[in-house]
PDB file of all heavy atoms in Angstrom:
ATOM      1  N   ASN I   1       5.727   4.949  -4.438  1.00 94.00           N
ATOM      2  CA  ASN I   1       6.539   4.898  -3.227  1.00 94.00           C
ATOM      3  C   ASN I   1       6.138   3.715  -2.359  1.00 94.00           C
ATOM      4  O   ASN I   1       6.994   3.027  -1.797  1.00 94.00           O
ATOM      5  CB  ASN I   1       6.402   6.201  -2.438  1.00 94.00           C
ATOM      6  CG  ASN I   1       7.468   7.218  -2.787  1.00 94.00           C
ATOM      7  OD1 ASN I   1       8.497   7.316  -2.132  1.00 94.00           O
ATOM      8  ND2 ASN I   1       7.222   7.983  -3.857  1.00 94.00           N
ATOM      9  N   MET I   2       4.845   3.489  -2.243  1.00 94.00           N
ATOM     10  CA  MET I   2       4.361   2.369  -1.435  1.00 94.00           C
ATOM     11  C   MET I   2       4.602   1.024  -2.122  1.00 94.00           C
ATOM     12  O   MET I   2       4.834   0.006  -1.463  1.00 94.00           O
ATOM     13  CB  MET I   2       2.870   2.556  -1.153  1.00 94.00           C
ATOM     14  CG  MET I   2       2.535   3.732  -0.250  1.00 94.00           C
ATOM     15  SD  MET I   2       3.078   3.487   1.462  1.00 94.00           S
ATOM     16  CE  MET I   2       1.890   2.271   2.013  1.00 94.00           C
ATOM     17  N   LEU I   3       4.553   1.028  -3.455  1.00 94.00           N
ATOM     18  CA  LEU I   3       4.748  -0.230  -4.189  1.00 94.00           C
ATOM     19  C   LEU I   3       6.196  -0.714  -4.133  1.00 94.00           C
ATOM     20  O   LEU I   3       6.448  -1.924  -4.260  1.00 94.00           O
ATOM     21  CB  LEU I   3       4.339  -0.056  -5.652  1.00 94.00           C
ATOM     22  CG  LEU I   3       2.848  -0.124  -5.958  1.00 94.00           C
ATOM     23  CD1 LEU I   3       2.595   0.243  -7.418  1.00 94.00           C
ATOM     24  CD2 LEU I   3       2.289  -1.515  -5.646  1.00 94.00           C
ATOM     25  N   TYR I   4       7.133   0.203  -3.947  1.00 91.00           N
ATOM     26  CA  TYR I   4       8.549  -0.182  -3.995  1.00 91.00           C
ATOM     27  C   TYR I   4       8.869  -1.331  -3.046  1.00 91.00           C
ATOM     28  O   TYR I   4       9.402  -2.363  -3.480  1.00 91.00           O
ATOM     29  CB  TYR I   4       9.422   1.042  -3.719  1.00 91.00           C
ATOM     30  CG  TYR I   4      10.898   0.774  -3.892  1.00 91.00           C
ATOM     31  CD1 TYR I   4      11.492   0.859  -5.146  1.00 91.00           C
ATOM     32  CD2 TYR I   4      11.695   0.424  -2.810  1.00 91.00           C
ATOM     33  CE1 TYR I   4      12.845   0.596  -5.316  1.00 91.00           C
ATOM     34  CE2 TYR I   4      13.043   0.161  -2.967  1.00 91.00           C
ATOM     35  CZ  TYR I   4      13.613   0.253  -4.219  1.00 91.00           C
ATOM     36  OH  TYR I   4      14.954  -0.012  -4.381  1.00 91.00           O
ATOM     37  N   PRO I   5       8.592  -1.235  -1.737  1.00 90.00           N
ATOM     38  CA  PRO I   5       8.906  -2.368  -0.861  1.00 90.00           C
ATOM     39  C   PRO I   5       8.001  -3.568  -1.092  1.00 90.00           C
ATOM     40  O   PRO I   5       8.429  -4.721  -0.908  1.00 90.00           O
ATOM     41  CB  PRO I   5       8.719  -1.793   0.550  1.00 90.00           C
ATOM     42  CG  PRO I   5       7.779  -0.656   0.372  1.00 90.00           C
ATOM     43  CD  PRO I   5       8.075  -0.079  -0.982  1.00 90.00           C
ATOM     44  N   LEU I   6       6.753  -3.323  -1.502  1.00 91.00           N
ATOM     45  CA  LEU I   6       5.843  -4.445  -1.743  1.00 91.00           C
ATOM     46  C   LEU I   6       6.314  -5.281  -2.925  1.00 91.00           C
ATOM     47  O   LEU I   6       6.302  -6.521  -2.866  1.00 91.00           O
ATOM     48  CB  LEU I   6       4.430  -3.919  -2.001  1.00 91.00           C
ATOM     49  CG  LEU I   6       3.691  -3.338  -0.786  1.00 91.00           C
ATOM     50  CD1 LEU I   6       2.374  -2.703  -1.222  1.00 91.00           C
ATOM     51  CD2 LEU I   6       3.445  -4.407   0.271  1.00 91.00           C
ATOM     52  N   ASN I   7       6.736  -4.637  -3.998  1.00 89.00           N
ATOM     53  CA  ASN I   7       7.237  -5.377  -5.160  1.00 89.00           C
ATOM     54  C   ASN I   7       8.521  -6.126  -4.835  1.00 89.00           C
ATOM     55  O   ASN I   7       8.786  -7.201  -5.379  1.00 89.00           O
ATOM     56  CB  ASN I   7       7.481  -4.418  -6.328  1.00 89.00           C
ATOM     57  CG  ASN I   7       6.194  -3.894  -6.928  1.00 89.00           C
ATOM     58  OD1 ASN I   7       5.142  -4.525  -6.802  1.00 89.00           O
ATOM     59  ND2 ASN I   7       6.265  -2.736  -7.565  1.00 89.00           N
ATOM     60  N   TYR I   8       9.312  -5.548  -3.945  1.00 84.00           N
ATOM     61  CA  TYR I   8      10.591  -6.162  -3.593  1.00 84.00           C
ATOM     62  C   TYR I   8      10.404  -7.415  -2.734  1.00 84.00           C
ATOM     63  O   TYR I   8      11.100  -8.409  -2.931  1.00 84.00           O
ATOM     64  CB  TYR I   8      11.453  -5.146  -2.837  1.00 84.00           C
ATOM     65  CG  TYR I   8      12.866  -5.614  -2.564  1.00 84.00           C
ATOM     66  CD1 TYR I   8      13.846  -5.519  -3.543  1.00 84.00           C
ATOM     67  CD2 TYR I   8      13.216  -6.161  -1.335  1.00 84.00           C
ATOM     68  CE1 TYR I   8      15.139  -5.950  -3.305  1.00 84.00           C
ATOM     69  CE2 TYR I   8      14.508  -6.597  -1.080  1.00 84.00           C
ATOM     70  CZ  TYR I   8      15.466  -6.476  -2.063  1.00 84.00           C
ATOM     71  OH  TYR I   8      16.741  -6.918  -1.826  1.00 84.00           O
ATOM     72  N   HIS I   9       9.459  -7.359  -1.806  1.00 87.00           N
ATOM     73  CA  HIS I   9       9.346  -8.438  -0.823  1.00 87.00           C
ATOM     74  C   HIS I   9       8.232  -9.446  -1.126  1.00 87.00           C
ATOM     75  O   HIS I   9       8.249 -10.550  -0.589  1.00 87.00           O
ATOM     76  CB  HIS I   9       9.102  -7.853   0.573  1.00 87.00           C
ATOM     77  CG  HIS I   9      10.312  -7.206   1.176  1.00 87.00           C
ATOM     78  ND1 HIS I   9      11.368  -7.923   1.697  1.00 87.00           N
ATOM     79  CD2 HIS I   9      10.630  -5.893   1.344  1.00 87.00           C
ATOM     80  CE1 HIS I   9      12.284  -7.093   2.168  1.00 87.00           C
ATOM     81  NE2 HIS I   9      11.871  -5.859   1.960  1.00 87.00           N
ATOM     82  N   TYR I  10       7.249  -9.071  -1.955  1.00 82.00           N
ATOM     83  CA  TYR I  10       6.092  -9.940  -2.124  1.00 82.00           C
ATOM     84  C   TYR I  10       5.775 -10.176  -3.593  1.00 82.00           C
ATOM     85  O   TYR I  10       6.060  -9.340  -4.451  1.00 82.00           O
ATOM     86  CB  TYR I  10       4.846  -9.315  -1.476  1.00 82.00           C
ATOM     87  CG  TYR I  10       4.925  -9.138   0.018  1.00 82.00           C
ATOM     88  CD1 TYR I  10       5.090  -7.864   0.567  1.00 82.00           C
ATOM     89  CD2 TYR I  10       4.816 -10.215   0.892  1.00 82.00           C
ATOM     90  CE1 TYR I  10       5.149  -7.678   1.940  1.00 82.00           C
ATOM     91  CE2 TYR I  10       4.875 -10.051   2.250  1.00 82.00           C
ATOM     92  CZ  TYR I  10       5.041  -8.773   2.773  1.00 82.00           C
ATOM     93  OH  TYR I  10       5.101  -8.595   4.128  1.00 82.00           O
ATOM     94  N   LYS I  11       5.150 -11.302  -3.832  1.00 84.00           N
ATOM     95  CA  LYS I  11       4.530 -11.571  -5.123  1.00 84.00           C
ATOM     96  C   LYS I  11       3.032 -11.619  -4.871  1.00 84.00           C
ATOM     97  O   LYS I  11       2.478 -12.641  -4.452  1.00 84.00           O
ATOM     98  CB  LYS I  11       5.031 -12.892  -5.708  1.00 84.00           C
ATOM     99  CG  LYS I  11       6.491 -12.861  -6.127  1.00 84.00           C
ATOM    100  CD  LYS I  11       6.921 -14.172  -6.772  1.00 84.00           C
ATOM    101  CE  LYS I  11       8.381 -14.105  -7.231  1.00 84.00           C
ATOM    102  NZ  LYS I  11       8.831 -15.383  -7.854  1.00 84.00           N
ATOM    103  N   GLN I  12       2.383 -10.493  -5.099  1.00 83.00           N
ATOM    104  CA  GLN I  12       0.953 -10.359  -4.847  1.00 83.00           C
ATOM    105  C   GLN I  12       0.275  -9.770  -6.070  1.00 83.00           C
ATOM    106  O   GLN I  12       0.916  -9.156  -6.915  1.00 83.00           O
ATOM    107  CB  GLN I  12       0.698  -9.435  -3.633  1.00 83.00           C
ATOM    108  CG  GLN I  12       1.229  -9.973  -2.322  1.00 83.00           C
ATOM    109  CD  GLN I  12       1.023  -8.978  -1.180  1.00 83.00           C
ATOM    110  OE1 GLN I  12       1.334  -7.798  -1.306  1.00 83.00           O
ATOM    111  NE2 GLN I  12       0.484  -9.454  -0.062  1.00 83.00           N
ATOM    112  N   SER I  13      -1.029  -9.940  -6.125  1.00 89.00           N
ATOM    113  CA  SER I  13      -1.793  -9.333  -7.219  1.00 89.00           C
ATOM    114  C   SER I  13      -1.854  -7.823  -7.000  1.00 89.00           C
ATOM    115  O   SER I  13      -1.620  -7.326  -5.893  1.00 89.00           O
ATOM    116  CB  SER I  13      -3.208  -9.912  -7.249  1.00 89.00           C
ATOM    117  OG  SER I  13      -3.929  -9.492  -6.101  1.00 89.00           O
ATOM    118  N   GLU I  14      -2.169  -7.110  -8.047  1.00 88.00           N
ATOM    119  CA  GLU I  14      -2.282  -5.660  -7.950  1.00 88.00           C
ATOM    120  C   GLU I  14      -3.353  -5.255  -6.944  1.00 88.00           C
ATOM    121  O   GLU I  14      -3.192  -4.279  -6.208  1.00 88.00           O
ATOM    122  CB  GLU I  14      -2.571  -5.060  -9.321  1.00 88.00           C
ATOM    123  CG  GLU I  14      -1.398  -5.124 -10.291  1.00 88.00           C
ATOM    124  CD  GLU I  14      -0.152  -4.428  -9.738  1.00 88.00           C
ATOM    125  OE1 GLU I  14      -0.271  -3.268  -9.292  1.00 88.00           O
ATOM    126  OE2 GLU I  14       0.920  -5.051  -9.752  1.00 88.00           O
ATOM    127  N   SER I  15      -4.454  -5.998  -6.914  1.00 91.00           N
ATOM    128  CA  SER I  15      -5.535  -5.660  -5.976  1.00 91.00           C
ATOM    129  C   SER I  15      -5.082  -5.892  -4.534  1.00 91.00           C
ATOM    130  O   SER I  15      -5.449  -5.117  -3.635  1.00 91.00           O
ATOM    131  CB  SER I  15      -6.786  -6.490  -6.285  1.00 91.00           C
ATOM    132  OG  SER I  15      -6.527  -7.881  -6.135  1.00 91.00           O
ATOM    133  N   GLU I  16      -4.303  -6.942  -4.304  1.00 91.00           N
ATOM    134  CA  GLU I  16      -3.794  -7.201  -2.948  1.00 91.00           C
ATOM    135  C   GLU I  16      -2.837  -6.099  -2.505  1.00 91.00           C
ATOM    136  O   GLU I  16      -2.870  -5.647  -1.354  1.00 91.00           O
ATOM    137  CB  GLU I  16      -3.101  -8.564  -2.902  1.00 91.00           C
ATOM    138  CG  GLU I  16      -4.045  -9.745  -2.965  1.00 91.00           C
ATOM    139  CD  GLU I  16      -3.313 -11.080  -3.091  1.00 91.00           C
ATOM    140  OE1 GLU I  16      -2.271 -11.138  -3.792  1.00 91.00           O
ATOM    141  OE2 GLU I  16      -3.783 -12.067  -2.491  1.00 91.00           O
ATOM    142  N   LYS I  17      -1.983  -5.669  -3.430  1.00 90.00           N
ATOM    143  CA  LYS I  17      -1.052  -4.586  -3.106  1.00 90.00           C
ATOM    144  C   LYS I  17      -1.804  -3.291  -2.819  1.00 90.00           C
ATOM    145  O   LYS I  17      -1.480  -2.577  -1.861  1.00 90.00           O
ATOM    146  CB  LYS I  17      -0.064  -4.384  -4.260  1.00 90.00           C
ATOM    147  CG  LYS I  17       0.924  -5.518  -4.446  1.00 90.00           C
ATOM    148  CD  LYS I  17       1.784  -5.290  -5.686  1.00 90.00           C
ATOM    149  CE  LYS I  17       2.683  -6.478  -5.953  1.00 90.00           C
ATOM    150  NZ  LYS I  17       3.451  -6.321  -7.223  1.00 90.00           N
ATOM    151  N   LEU I  18      -2.800  -2.976  -3.632  1.00 92.00           N
ATOM    152  CA  LEU I  18      -3.561  -1.752  -3.439  1.00 92.00           C
ATOM    153  C   LEU I  18      -4.302  -1.785  -2.104  1.00 92.00           C
ATOM    154  O   LEU I  18      -4.375  -0.767  -1.403  1.00 92.00           O
ATOM    155  CB  LEU I  18      -4.543  -1.560  -4.586  1.00 92.00           C
ATOM    156  CG  LEU I  18      -5.352  -0.256  -4.558  1.00 92.00           C
ATOM    157  CD1 LEU I  18      -4.422   0.956  -4.589  1.00 92.00           C
ATOM    158  CD2 LEU I  18      -6.323  -0.217  -5.739  1.00 92.00           C
ATOM    159  N   GLU I  19      -4.825  -2.947  -1.762  1.00 93.00           N
ATOM    160  CA  GLU I  19      -5.513  -3.084  -0.474  1.00 93.00           C
ATOM    161  C   GLU I  19      -4.554  -2.798   0.688  1.00 93.00           C
ATOM    162  O   GLU I  19      -4.912  -2.105   1.647  1.00 93.00           O
ATOM    163  CB  GLU I  19      -6.094  -4.496  -0.347  1.00 93.00           C
ATOM    164  CG  GLU I  19      -6.873  -4.724   0.942  1.00 93.00           C
ATOM    165  CD  GLU I  19      -7.448  -6.127   1.034  1.00 93.00           C
ATOM    166  OE1 GLU I  19      -7.371  -6.876   0.029  1.00 93.00           O
ATOM    167  OE2 GLU I  19      -7.974  -6.484   2.097  1.00 93.00           O
ATOM    168  N   LYS I  20      -3.335  -3.301   0.580  1.00 93.00           N
ATOM    169  CA  LYS I  20      -2.354  -3.082   1.644  1.00 93.00           C
ATOM    170  C   LYS I  20      -1.908  -1.619   1.679  1.00 93.00           C
ATOM    171  O   LYS I  20      -1.728  -1.034   2.757  1.00 93.00           O
ATOM    172  CB  LYS I  20      -1.152  -4.013   1.445  1.00 93.00           C
ATOM    173  CG  LYS I  20      -0.160  -3.977   2.589  1.00 93.00           C
ATOM    174  CD  LYS I  20       0.844  -5.113   2.488  1.00 93.00           C
ATOM    175  CE  LYS I  20       0.246  -6.435   2.915  1.00 93.00           C
ATOM    176  NZ  LYS I  20       1.283  -7.498   3.041  1.00 93.00           N
ATOM    177  N   ILE I  21      -1.725  -1.015   0.509  1.00 93.00           N
ATOM    178  CA  ILE I  21      -1.359   0.405   0.445  1.00 93.00           C
ATOM    179  C   ILE I  21      -2.417   1.255   1.141  1.00 93.00           C
ATOM    180  O   ILE I  21      -2.104   2.093   1.993  1.00 93.00           O
ATOM    181  CB  ILE I  21      -1.191   0.849  -1.020  1.00 93.00           C
ATOM    182  CG1 ILE I  21       0.090   0.263  -1.610  1.00 93.00           C
ATOM    183  CG2 ILE I  21      -1.165   2.379  -1.122  1.00 93.00           C
ATOM    184  CD1 ILE I  21       0.208   0.463  -3.112  1.00 93.00           C
ATOM    185  N   ASN I  22      -3.682   1.044   0.800  1.00 93.00           N
ATOM    186  CA  ASN I  22      -4.757   1.828   1.401  1.00 93.00           C
ATOM    187  C   ASN I  22      -4.851   1.591   2.905  1.00 93.00           C
ATOM    188  O   ASN I  22      -5.105   2.526   3.675  1.00 93.00           O
ATOM    189  CB  ASN I  22      -6.090   1.492   0.730  1.00 93.00           C
ATOM    190  CG  ASN I  22      -6.176   2.021  -0.689  1.00 93.00           C
ATOM    191  OD1 ASN I  22      -5.501   2.981  -1.034  1.00 93.00           O
ATOM    192  ND2 ASN I  22      -7.002   1.396  -1.512  1.00 93.00           N
ATOM    193  N   LYS I  23      -4.626   0.345   3.319  1.00 93.00           N
ATOM    194  CA  LYS I  23      -4.699   0.010   4.741  1.00 93.00           C
ATOM    195  C   LYS I  23      -3.703   0.832   5.546  1.00 93.00           C
ATOM    196  O   LYS I  23      -4.071   1.448   6.561  1.00 93.00           O
ATOM    197  CB  LYS I  23      -4.410  -1.487   4.934  1.00 93.00           C
ATOM    198  CG  LYS I  23      -4.278  -1.903   6.394  1.00 93.00           C
ATOM    199  CD  LYS I  23      -3.904  -3.380   6.523  1.00 93.00           C
ATOM    200  CE  LYS I  23      -3.673  -3.769   7.969  1.00 93.00           C
ATOM    201  NZ  LYS I  23      -3.289  -5.211   8.100  1.00 93.00           N
ATOM    202  N   TYR I  24      -2.459   0.881   5.092  1.00 94.00           N
ATOM    203  CA  TYR I  24      -1.436   1.555   5.897  1.00 94.00           C
ATOM    204  C   TYR I  24      -1.454   3.070   5.718  1.00 94.00           C
ATOM    205  O   TYR I  24      -1.077   3.799   6.642  1.00 94.00           O
ATOM    206  CB  TYR I  24      -0.065   0.934   5.632  1.00 94.00           C
ATOM    207  CG  TYR I  24       0.030  -0.408   6.323  1.00 94.00           C
ATOM    208  CD1 TYR I  24      -0.109  -1.594   5.605  1.00 94.00           C
ATOM    209  CD2 TYR I  24       0.181  -0.485   7.694  1.00 94.00           C
ATOM    210  CE1 TYR I  24      -0.088  -2.821   6.240  1.00 94.00           C
ATOM    211  CE2 TYR I  24       0.216  -1.705   8.335  1.00 94.00           C
ATOM    212  CZ  TYR I  24       0.079  -2.878   7.617  1.00 94.00           C
ATOM    213  OH  TYR I  24       0.093  -4.098   8.266  1.00 94.00           O
ATOM    214  N   LEU I  25      -1.941   3.542   4.586  1.00 94.00           N
ATOM    215  CA  LEU I  25      -2.152   4.985   4.466  1.00 94.00           C
ATOM    216  C   LEU I  25      -3.253   5.441   5.418  1.00 94.00           C
ATOM    217  O   LEU I  25      -3.179   6.527   5.992  1.00 94.00           O
ATOM    218  CB  LEU I  25      -2.488   5.369   3.033  1.00 94.00           C
ATOM    219  CG  LEU I  25      -1.342   5.283   2.019  1.00 94.00           C
ATOM    220  CD1 LEU I  25      -1.840   5.607   0.618  1.00 94.00           C
ATOM    221  CD2 LEU I  25      -0.184   6.204   2.398  1.00 94.00           C
ATOM    222  N   ARG I  26      -4.261   4.604   5.599  1.00 92.00           N
ATOM    223  CA  ARG I  26      -5.316   4.936   6.568  1.00 92.00           C
ATOM    224  C   ARG I  26      -4.768   4.904   7.995  1.00 92.00           C
ATOM    225  O   ARG I  26      -5.086   5.766   8.812  1.00 92.00           O
ATOM    226  CB  ARG I  26      -6.488   3.967   6.427  1.00 92.00           C
ATOM    227  CG  ARG I  26      -7.363   4.211   5.207  1.00 92.00           C
ATOM    228  CD  ARG I  26      -8.644   3.383   5.266  1.00 92.00           C
ATOM    229  NE  ARG I  26      -9.533   3.703   4.162  1.00 92.00           N
ATOM    230  CZ  ARG I  26      -9.609   3.024   3.029  1.00 92.00           C
ATOM    231  NH1 ARG I  26      -8.837   1.957   2.848  1.00 92.00           N
ATOM    232  NH2 ARG I  26     -10.440   3.387   2.070  1.00 92.00           N
ATOM    233  N   ILE I  27      -3.952   3.903   8.287  1.00 92.00           N
ATOM    234  CA  ILE I  27      -3.407   3.766   9.640  1.00 92.00           C
ATOM    235  C   ILE I  27      -2.607   4.998  10.040  1.00 92.00           C
ATOM    236  O   ILE I  27      -2.687   5.466  11.179  1.00 92.00           O
ATOM    237  CB  ILE I  27      -2.554   2.484   9.740  1.00 92.00           C
ATOM    238  CG1 ILE I  27      -3.476   1.257   9.821  1.00 92.00           C
ATOM    239  CG2 ILE I  27      -1.615   2.523  10.950  1.00 92.00           C
ATOM    240  CD1 ILE I  27      -2.747  -0.070   9.788  1.00 92.00           C
ATOM    241  N   VAL I  28      -1.824   5.543   9.096  1.00 93.00           N
ATOM    242  CA  VAL I  28      -1.006   6.721   9.437  1.00 93.00           C
ATOM    243  C   VAL I  28      -1.771   8.033   9.245  1.00 93.00           C
ATOM    244  O   VAL I  28      -1.213   9.116   9.433  1.00 93.00           O
ATOM    245  CB  VAL I  28       0.306   6.749   8.611  1.00 93.00           C
ATOM    246  CG1 VAL I  28       1.121   5.497   8.845  1.00 93.00           C
ATOM    247  CG2 VAL I  28       0.037   6.965   7.115  1.00 93.00           C
ATOM    248  N   GLY I  29      -3.055   7.940   8.878  1.00 91.00           N
ATOM    249  CA  GLY I  29      -3.884   9.125   8.757  1.00 91.00           C
ATOM    250  C   GLY I  29      -3.656   9.925   7.497  1.00 91.00           C
ATOM    251  O   GLY I  29      -4.056  11.094   7.417  1.00 91.00           O
ATOM    252  N   LEU I  30      -3.065   9.310   6.488  1.00 92.00           N
ATOM    253  CA  LEU I  30      -2.739  10.034   5.266  1.00 92.00           C
ATOM    254  C   LEU I  30      -3.785   9.836   4.177  1.00 92.00           C
ATOM    255  O   LEU I  30      -3.962  10.701   3.316  1.00 92.00           O
ATOM    256  CB  LEU I  30      -1.366   9.577   4.757  1.00 92.00           C
ATOM    257  CG  LEU I  30      -0.641  10.461   3.744  1.00 92.00           C
ATOM    258  CD1 LEU I  30      -0.505  11.886   4.245  1.00 92.00           C
ATOM    259  CD2 LEU I  30       0.743   9.870   3.441  1.00 92.00           C
ATOM    260  N   TYR I  31      -4.502   8.731   4.217  1.00 91.00           N
ATOM    261  CA  TYR I  31      -5.434   8.401   3.140  1.00 91.00           C
ATOM    262  C   TYR I  31      -6.510   9.471   2.978  1.00 91.00           C
ATOM    263  O   TYR I  31      -6.775   9.950   1.877  1.00 91.00           O
ATOM    264  CB  TYR I  31      -6.087   7.039   3.397  1.00 91.00           C
ATOM    265  CG  TYR I  31      -6.980   6.575   2.277  1.00 91.00           C
ATOM    266  CD1 TYR I  31      -6.449   5.883   1.192  1.00 91.00           C
ATOM    267  CD2 TYR I  31      -8.352   6.823   2.294  1.00 91.00           C
ATOM    268  CE1 TYR I  31      -7.260   5.453   0.148  1.00 91.00           C
ATOM    269  CE2 TYR I  31      -9.163   6.406   1.262  1.00 91.00           C
ATOM    270  CZ  TYR I  31      -8.615   5.720   0.193  1.00 91.00           C
ATOM    271  OH  TYR I  31      -9.429   5.304  -0.833  1.00 91.00           O
ATOM    272  N   ASP I  32      -7.111   9.875   4.087  1.00 90.00           N
ATOM    273  CA  ASP I  32      -8.184  10.877   4.004  1.00 90.00           C
ATOM    274  C   ASP I  32      -7.641  12.240   3.591  1.00 90.00           C
ATOM    275  O   ASP I  32      -8.343  13.021   2.934  1.00 90.00           O
ATOM    276  CB  ASP I  32      -8.899  10.987   5.352  1.00 90.00           C
ATOM    277  CG  ASP I  32      -9.761   9.765   5.649  1.00 90.00           C
ATOM    278  OD1 ASP I  32     -10.117   9.056   4.684  1.00 90.00           O
ATOM    279  OD2 ASP I  32     -10.055   9.514   6.827  1.00 90.00           O
ATOM    280  N   GLU I  33      -6.407  12.538   3.966  1.00 92.00           N
ATOM    281  CA  GLU I  33      -5.817  13.837   3.631  1.00 92.00           C
ATOM    282  C   GLU I  33      -5.572  13.980   2.128  1.00 92.00           C
ATOM    283  O   GLU I  33      -5.666  15.077   1.577  1.00 92.00           O
ATOM    284  CB  GLU I  33      -4.513  14.038   4.393  1.00 92.00           C
ATOM    285  CG  GLU I  33      -4.716  14.199   5.897  1.00 92.00           C
ATOM    286  CD  GLU I  33      -3.417  14.409   6.640  1.00 92.00           C
ATOM    287  OE1 GLU I  33      -2.405  14.771   6.004  1.00 92.00           O
ATOM    288  OE2 GLU I  33      -3.407  14.208   7.870  1.00 92.00           O
ATOM    289  N   ILE I  34      -5.241  12.867   1.478  1.00 88.00           N
ATOM    290  CA  ILE I  34      -5.004  12.947   0.034  1.00 88.00           C
ATOM    291  C   ILE I  34      -6.241  12.540  -0.759  1.00 88.00           C
ATOM    292  O   ILE I  34      -6.222  12.527  -1.987  1.00 88.00           O
ATOM    293  CB  ILE I  34      -3.805  12.063  -0.385  1.00 88.00           C
ATOM    294  CG1 ILE I  34      -4.072  10.592  -0.082  1.00 88.00           C
ATOM    295  CG2 ILE I  34      -2.533  12.528   0.306  1.00 88.00           C
ATOM    296  CD1 ILE I  34      -3.019   9.650  -0.616  1.00 88.00           C
ATOM    297  N   LYS I  35      -7.307  12.183  -0.009  1.00 81.00           N
ATOM    298  CA  LYS I  35      -8.607  11.846  -0.616  1.00 81.00           C
ATOM    299  C   LYS I  35      -8.477  10.748  -1.670  1.00 81.00           C
ATOM    300  O   LYS I  35      -9.105  10.802  -2.731  1.00 81.00           O
ATOM    301  CB  LYS I  35      -9.260  13.095  -1.195  1.00 81.00           C
ATOM    302  CG  LYS I  35      -9.466  14.205  -0.173  1.00 81.00           C
ATOM    303  CD  LYS I  35     -10.215  15.375  -0.761  1.00 81.00           C
ATOM    304  CE  LYS I  35     -10.288  16.538   0.216  1.00 81.00           C
ATOM    305  NZ  LYS I  35     -10.867  16.195   1.502  1.00 81.00           N
ATOM    306  N   GLY I  36      -7.630   9.760  -1.381  1.00 78.00           N
ATOM    307  CA  GLY I  36      -7.490   8.617  -2.262  1.00 78.00           C
ATOM    308  C   GLY I  36      -6.730   8.873  -3.536  1.00 78.00           C
ATOM    309  O   GLY I  36      -6.679   8.007  -4.410  1.00 78.00           O
TER     310      GLY I  36
END
């Protein structure tokens, strides 16, 4: 779900995408709830 807009708008490495996914899941308080 998170990769969908990233793949559409950016050409980034998988590690860069994962870093951004984790960043915004943390910002909305979801990362800790799903324990990664």
Side-chain angles (χ1 to χ4, degrees):
N1 267 265
M2 293 291 287
L3 280 173
Y4 186 85
L6 289 173
N7 289 336
Y8 187 82
H9 287 285
Y10 296 107
K11 291 183 178 179
Q12 296 176 312
S13 68
E14 290 303 310
S15 62
E16 287 173 323
K17 291 175 185 175
L18 184 59
E19 182 179 352
K20 187 168 284 190
I21 288 170
N22 289 335
K23 172 184 176 181
Y24 285 102
L25 289 176
R26 285 190 175 96
I27 284 174
V28 302
L30 197 54
Y31 185 86
D32 288 339
E33 292 180 18
I34 62 173
K35 303 185 186 304

